[in-house]
Amino acid sequence: MKTSIVFKSLLGTAALALPLIASAASTFTSGAGTLTATATVNFTVVIPQFLYLRVGTGSAYATGTLATAGATDLITFSPAVGAVGNGTAVAGVGGDLAGGIETAAILGNGGNVTLVAAATGALSDGAGDSISFTQITTAAAANAEATLLAAPPLTDTTSSETVPATNKIVKADAKWTFSYSNTVTPAAGTYGGSAGNNGIVTYTATML
């Protein structure tokens, strides 16, 4: 019988303790002199992990708008007649900042980021002729963030850059200016401009 009474007492004590786990505590004191009562609140902040990449037209990350935008910008290079292959670089037309210039940005909160630029082959004219992506250079200039985002050099396959994090935070951007080196003399034609002619470069950011 004594065992049963003790068991019931333990159950009653546990039942009384349950509400205190889920809510703030209260303390009641009484008597003469200095009295002290305490109550506790348990706080939790849950931060979601995120990764944002922009190259060209995209959301306004500088004002906190991290969203998906489905545009792909077109940049065109057109060497003048008589200047093809003379080694004088040619500026581009197009880009979200015009003049062959694109906004590039990476924001993340989970550690270092690897940025890969991938092409599926040299630029093609669809008739068997090609121009290597190495003819297109990328120069990075300061933009809104304190950390400059370096651009992976373009090749006919893949290249990459590592963007280091500070306390697991990456906030880097740049204005990328694309130029055509113009050091070769290809056959006349329009090269790239579509996935079918290998005109698309895909940039992929991976948070390590």
Side-chain angles (χ1 to χ4, degrees):
M1 188 64 180
K2 289 183 179 180
T3 302
S4 177
I5 293 172
V6 171
F7 183 67
K8 289 180 179 179
S9 176
L10 289 173
L11 286 177
T13 302
L16 288 173
L18 284 175
L20 298 181
I21 295 174
S23 62
S26 63
T27 303
F28 172 76
T29 59
S30 65
T34 301
L35 299 178
T36 300
T38 62
T40 59
V41 177
N42 185 12
F43 295 95
T44 299
V45 178
V46 180
I47 304 297
Q49 184 169 270
F50 68 87
L51 177 61
Y52 172 88
L53 170 65
R54 173 177 168 177
V55 179
T57 302
S59 66
Y61 66 92
T63 59
T65 303
L66 306 182
T68 299
T72 298
D73 295 336
L74 173 66
I75 296 176
T76 301
F77 305 99
S78 302
V81 175
V84 175
N86 69 0
T88 300
V90 178
V93 174
D96 71 302
L97 299 177
I101 304 173
E102 295 271 68
T103 299
I106 292 179
L107 285 79
N109 66 346
N112 297 341
V113 174
T114 297
L115 178 61
V116 174
T120 56
L123 294 153
S124 170
D125 65 354
D129 305 304
S130 63
I131 299 174
S132 174
F133 267 106
T134 58
Q135 283 289 302
I136 300 176
T137 62
T138 316
N143 201 348
E145 301 294 342
T147 301
L148 182 70
L149 180 60
L154 298 186
T155 70
D156 298 335
T157 54
T158 63
S159 64
S160 65
E161 291 282 347
T162 297
V163 187
T166 301
N167 298 325
K168 296 185 178 180
I169 306 301
V170 169
K171 294 181 71 176
D173 71 351
K175 297 175 183 178
W176 286 355
T177 300
F178 294 94
S179 301
Y180 177 62
S181 294
N182 193 30
T183 60
V184 297
T185 304
T190 298
Y191 295 79
S194 67
N197 285 349
N198 299 337
I200 303 294
V201 171
T202 301
Y203 293 89
T204 302
T206 303
M207 196 158 53
L208 305 179

